[in-house]
Amino acid sequence: MTTIYDFAAQLNASARTNQFRVHINFPAGLVSNGVVAKTAATFLTRQASLPSYNTEDIPVWYRGRQIHEAGEKTYEAWTCTIYNSSDFAIRTALEEWVSAIHDPEVVAGITDPSKYKTNIAIEQLDRNDNTLRVYKLYGAYPTSTGAIELDFEQGQQIEQFQVTFVYDYFLVKNKELLEESTN
């Protein structure tokens, strides 16, 4: 007979949704306050997710029967929500990053992906702040920076905005990815 304690033992103290850190490495030379924004983003990222992916299906027919082969792996865009500080450090860094990719005033920008792509690490923590797992997004850059809603009736709320990044791929590891991601 299975008991509730058998179920609880399988959770192994369970991973919690509020135990995480995000490390956004702003591209060097593109943003004036990259180090400040990186540190701020580690603390002010309010919501994030572990990245998702899909493996395409290739149906193959043989004499009227269909079998399935694995196709290419595709990665979904990754979105996080960030609290806005009064110095706008993270928002400014994101705006400078996007303007470097495509400056609307001169209709020009950086064309070398190695200059504007960077890595992002999402660190899953336990309740004692130990790293359980690290998801490292390679070749990331922002594609959408959301609006900051302003409202006379919301005086008791901190401003926040969403940012969506695309990336080339991700790897999942333990601490070794974090050490190379935070440097």
Side-chain angles (χ1 to χ4, degrees), residues 23-34 37-38 41 78 80 82 89-104 108-121 137-145 163-167:
H23 306 275
I24 300 172
N25 293 313
F26 292 89
L30 293 189
V31 296
S32 59
N33 66 345
K38 177 182 176 181
W78 180 78
C80 64
I82 298 173
I90 302 167
R91 180 94 179 181
T92 300
L94 288 164
E95 290 167 348
E96 289 177 1
W97 189 354
V98 170
S99 288
I101 294 171
H102 182 257
D103 186 338
I110 295 173
T111 56
D112 181 358
S114 69
K115 304 275 191 233
Y116 65 81
K117 287 184 173 185
T118 188
N119 301 325
I120 297 173
L137 313 180
Y138 290 87
Y141 65 93
T143 58
S144 173
T145 302
V163 183
T164 301
F165 293 87
V166 293
Y167 55 96

Side-chain angles (χ1 to χ4, degrees), residues 4-73:
I4 191 72
Y5 299 109
D6 295 328
F7 170 74
Q10 293 303 311
L11 284 174
N12 191 21
S14 66
R16 306 292 176 100
T17 60
N18 65 339
Q19 302 295 317
F20 70 95
R21 266 191 293 258
V22 172
H23 306 275
I24 300 172
N25 293 313
F26 292 89
L30 293 189
V31 296
S32 59
N33 66 345
V35 174
V36 171
K38 177 182 176 181
T39 301
T42 301
F43 291 100
L44 298 179
T45 301
R46 182 188 78 80
Q47 178 277 329
S49 61
L50 300 179
S52 63
Y53 62 90
N54 294 304
T55 302
E56 299 296 324
D57 174 48
I58 302 173
V60 179
W61 290 90
Y62 179 74
R63 296 185 181 178
R65 277 198 73 183
Q66 186 180 35
I67 62 169
H68 300 274
E69 294 287 327
E72 299 299 322
K73 190 175 187 179

Side-chain angles (χ1 to χ4, degrees), residues 50-51 120-123 133-137 170-173:
L50 300 179
I120 297 173
I122 303 108
E123 181 183 9
R133 200 163 192 177
V134 177
Y135 287 76
K136 185 171 180 183
L137 313 180
F170 71 82
L171 293 179
V172 182
K173 298 241 175 128

Side-chain angles (χ1 to χ4, degrees), residues 82-94:
I82 298 173
Y83 284 124
N84 192 34
S85 57
S86 62
D87 64 0
F88 284 71
I90 302 167
R91 180 94 179 181
T92 300
L94 288 164

